[in-house]
Amino acid sequence: MKNSLAKKFLGNTSWLMAFNIYSMFLSLVIGSLTARYLGPENYGVLGYGASLVTIFISISKLGLDAVIINELVVHPEKKGDYLGAALVMRLVASVISVIGISVLVLIIEPGNELLFTVTFFQSLAIVFQVHETFNYWFQTELKSKYYVMSSILALTITGAWRIYLLYSSASVEWFALSSSIQAFVVLIMATVIFRKLAQLRLNVSLDDIKYLLSRSHHFIIANLSIALYMQIDKIMLGKVLGEEAVGLYSAAMTIALLWVFIPNAIINSAMPLIISERKKNYSGFIKRLQVLLLTITIIGVMAGTAILIFGKLAVSILYGSAYKESVITLYILIWSTGLAILGTGLSVWIVAEGLNVYQKYMALIGAAVNIVFNLIAIPKMGIGGAALATFASQFVVQFCAPLLFKQTRPMIKIYLGSFSMLNRGNAKMILSMLKSVLNKKK
């Protein structure tokens, strides 16, 4: 059984990594060509709009990402009910979010017609991203390869679309449609594959909607707070320094996020296995969690070290001299992304222990730290100040905020305890796992 489970885990993780590697490749090639073509200012308009959209995406998800997989694992007999309820919830919230984004742009940037058009085109992706509801089922069944196939097709079509735009010298508005086209293709493909494989009747009841909201409403606020402290820097840069600063910052952030597909793929595949172990063997649950935390920490340190060595060269090759001011920002942001990924891993413990409310409190603390830090640092230090604000808020959320609450203090102890597992045997196991995933991808 262990061998079978390991094969399913590695196979599922490999497909997730294959998709993210392909996505990274397109982001490196087509994304850098797009940034060069548009220049820092127009590229900044896309980044500015994407930041606003990201905030509303966090609202439209209704905190279900952190809850629904746990519910599907704990209550498998309710899969059709919970997935049906989640689909309706996401659809209604997405439509409201698109309207909300348009109103927000009119308020904070009155008269900026370009930003309004770009943001509206980008926001359509929120509605199409209801396909993520089907992905909950693919993840719990460790059948992510089917969802990945849909995503790869969508990426390919979107990549071809962006190449055509570059070839035809299109305006920035047309580039804003790229994410919406990608989400629409995934929606169509994922729906067809889910209906064929799942053989589930999706039901919608008000009681199930109320139940899921009772479990997820803490994460709505938490996810919104996280989105704010991850995106508020771009919004404030746009207001204080202009859209060119947003373009420079976005270039650094794009490179800083290139590596996260590895730990994200591992976390997404490991989460159902870790949660299911808690019901059977608590010590085994902690051990699995610590192996996960240790693995993503090692990967994060490796990624940060690589960027410190090759970051300047990467900016030069990908974006050119127009983006050279992004280098120092990149050196800071790479460690911020590492802390963010660690937070994703730690949230597995929070969900499994039913401490969702504290995720909200910790995220609110992080958002407050980020906003205050940005107000002080951006006028004095520019985009570097925004990067420092992001790092400070991530550090506070992952290591300081949990210590404020008695119920979440064990989380820090569990994380620190993961380093005691760093012996030759476990190191070989982690390296073997990563090697197996990469080989399977090939």
Side-chain angles (χ1 to χ4, degrees):
M1 288 180 62
K2 288 183 177 180
N3 289 337
S4 175
L5 196 61
K7 288 179 180 178
K8 290 182 69 176
F9 168 75
L10 289 173
N12 193 70
T13 306
S14 299
W15 275 100
L16 291 171
M17 289 186 65
F19 163 69
N20 283 287
I21 289 173
Y22 185 59
S23 176
M24 180 186 69
F25 174 76
L26 289 183
S27 178
L28 281 172
V29 178
I30 301 177
S32 60
L33 290 175
T34 301
R36 285 173 177 264
Y37 166 72
L38 293 175
E41 186 171 353
N42 280 331
Y43 190 58
V45 173
L46 287 179
Y48 198 169
S51 297
L52 296 171
V53 171
T54 299
I55 291 174
F56 279 86
I57 285 176
S58 68
I59 299 173
S60 70
K61 290 185 176 184
L62 297 174
L64 292 172
D65 285 354
V67 171
I68 194 70
I69 292 178
N70 181 70
E71 295 301 322
L72 295 180
V73 170
V74 175
H75 304 289
E77 74 283 357
K78 295 277 290 181
K79 285 183 179 180
D81 299 327
Y82 288 155
L83 288 174
L87 184 62
V88 172
M89 292 164 67
R90 285 288 302 267
L91 184 60
V92 173
S94 297
V95 173
I96 295 174
S97 294
V98 171
I99 298 172
I101 291 171
S102 299
V103 173
L104 179 61
V105 174
L106 290 175
I107 293 174
I108 66 174
E109 291 285 350
N112 193 336
E113 295 181 5
L114 177 60
L115 180 63
F116 180 85
T117 303
V118 165
T119 306
F120 176 74
F121 284 165
Q122 291 173 321
S123 69
L124 295 177
I126 300 177
V127 178
F128 302 141
Q129 282 179 357
V130 295
H131 62 70
E132 292 176 350
T133 305
F134 302 125
N135 192 32
Y136 299 141
W137 181 83
F138 289 118
Q139 286 187 43
T140 55
E141 298 295 323
L142 294 181
K143 293 182 178 180
S144 292
K145 69 177 182 179
Y146 300 105
Y147 188 79
V148 167
M149 290 176 185
S150 305
S151 300
I152 288 177
L153 176 62
L155 274 174
T156 304
I157 293 174
T158 306
W161 162 260
R162 293 171 69 183
I163 290 173
Y164 169 75
L165 295 180
L166 291 170
Y167 177 77
S168 59
S169 301
S171 62
V172 65
E173 293 94 329
W174 294 106
F175 285 91
L177 274 173
S178 300
S179 58
S180 297
I181 292 173
Q182 179 179 332
F184 178 73
V185 175
V186 176
L187 173 61
I188 299 301
M189 293 293 297
T191 301
V192 171
I193 296 173
F194 173 81
R195 291 188 62 182
K196 184 176 181 179
L197 294 180
Q199 300 295 315
L200 281 176
R201 179 183 177 86
L202 300 184
N203 303 307
V204 181
S205 79
L206 188 58
D207 288 338
D208 289 328
I209 290 175
K210 289 180 178 178
Y211 174 74
L212 290 178
L213 279 176
S214 72
R215 300 284 291 169
S216 70
H217 72 277
H218 300 299
F219 283 102
I220 298 175
I221 299 175
N223 290 346
L224 175 59
S225 300
I226 292 170
L228 279 173
Y229 73 70
M230 290 298 291
Q231 302 298 327
I232 196 66
D233 41 16
K234 293 181 187 176
I235 297 172
M236 295 179 71
L237 280 171
K239 292 295 293 181
V240 176
L241 301 179
E243 290 160 350
E244 182 176 347
V246 180
L248 295 170
Y249 190 88
S250 297
M253 181 62 79
T254 299
I255 298 176
L257 291 172
L258 287 176
W259 67 281
V260 301
F261 69 90
I262 299 176
N264 273 334
I266 294 173
I267 292 170
N268 288 336
S269 288
M271 185 175 180
L273 304 180
I274 294 172
I275 290 175
S276 63
E277 185 69 12
R278 189 193 182 284
K279 298 186 299 181
K280 299 177 291 186
N281 180 2
Y282 191 79
S283 62
F285 158 71
I286 295 297
K287 183 177 180 181
R288 285 187 178 186
L289 178 61
Q290 287 181 323
V291 169
L292 173 66
L293 296 175
L294 180 60
T295 301
I296 60 180
T297 298
I298 292 172
I299 296 171
V301 172
M302 292 170 63
T305 303
I307 287 297
L308 289 178
I309 297 173
F310 301 109
K312 184 176 180 179
L313 180 63
V315 171
S316 177
I317 293 175
L318 294 175
Y319 297 106
S321 59
Y323 290 84
K324 62 183 179 181
E325 293 181 44
S326 301
V327 175
I328 300 300
T329 303
L330 173 60
Y331 291 158
I332 302 171
L333 287 178
I334 187 62
W335 300 105
S336 301
T337 56
L339 290 175
I341 290 296
L342 177 60
T344 303
L346 290 169
S347 69
V348 175
W349 180 82
I350 292 177
V351 172
E353 296 292 339
L355 299 174
N356 303 352
V357 63
Y358 296 99
Q359 187 89 339
K360 172 180 66 178
Y361 297 148
M362 292 185 290
L364 284 170
I365 292 170
V369 170
N370 196 317
I371 292 172
V372 172
F373 208 120
N374 270 309
L375 287 171
I376 298 172
I378 287 178
K380 296 181 178 180
M381 305 172 63
I383 60 175
L388 284 173
T390 299
F391 177 83
S393 60
Q394 287 288 358
F395 185 86
V396 167
V397 169
Q398 311 312 338
F399 296 115
C400 300
L403 298 176
L404 299 177
F405 309 102
K406 179 181 178 181
Q407 291 82 352
T408 56
R409 287 171 193 162
M411 183 170 67
I412 301 300
K413 183 178 179 180
I414 290 170
Y415 174 64
L416 295 177
S418 68
F419 290 97
S420 66
M421 304 181 70
L422 191 57
N423 52 50
R424 175 176 288 187
N426 284 322
K428 286 183 177 180
M429 179 185 68
I430 292 170
L431 292 174
S432 177
M433 178 180 68
L434 294 174
K435 184 178 178 180
S436 297
V437 169
L438 293 172
N439 287 338
K440 203 170 184 69
K441 178 264 304 177
K442 295 177 182 178

